[in-house]
Amino acid sequence: MSAPLVPLTSSQIRKRGLKMLAIGGSIFAAILYLMYWLSAHNYHFSFAVIGASLPFAFACIGFIELMTGAPYLKLAQSWMSLRGWQRGVLGTFIVIASLVIILCVVTFFVMMFT
């Protein structure tokens, strides 16, 4: 007989998201450092380095859970329950807003250091 599943509270989900963000971010940063160090010592990568981005995806899921307080799978189900045009409009808005934020941050640092 198995124990009944107790739903997680928002604070528990946020703590889990923070752990995922910290672990995924740390592993991704270590991989980036290793790749940079190897490149500095004239090592050329002859294989796809896409696998190195998997910890980054883990960190992104943790960030989403940390910010929303909802499990990632529940958010994915909510996203898929939207109509196609709603996903298109929201997806386009999210991409454009992300680009604007990235451009503002990059411009800030460029202006600060030049």
Side-chain angles (χ1 to χ4, degrees), residues 33-104:
Y33 178 77
L34 177 65
M35 290 173 64
Y36 177 73
W37 184 79
L38 288 172
S39 295
H41 289 85
N42 294 327
Y43 180 80
H44 300 287
F45 297 99
S46 59
F47 56 90
V49 292
I50 295 173
S53 64
L54 289 177
F56 180 71
F58 193 68
C60 288
I61 292 172
F63 178 75
I64 290 170
E65 286 188 353
L66 178 66
M67 290 295 113
T68 62
Y72 180 75
L73 289 177
K74 182 180 176 210
L75 291 173
Q77 290 171 349
S78 299
W79 178 262
M80 291 309 292
S81 69
L82 293 174
R83 292 183 177 174
W85 69 270
Q86 292 171 323
R87 286 193 305 251
V89 170
L90 283 173
T92 303
F93 172 75
I94 290 169
V95 168
I96 291 172
S98 300
L99 288 174
V100 167
I101 291 170
I102 289 169
L103 287 174
C104 288

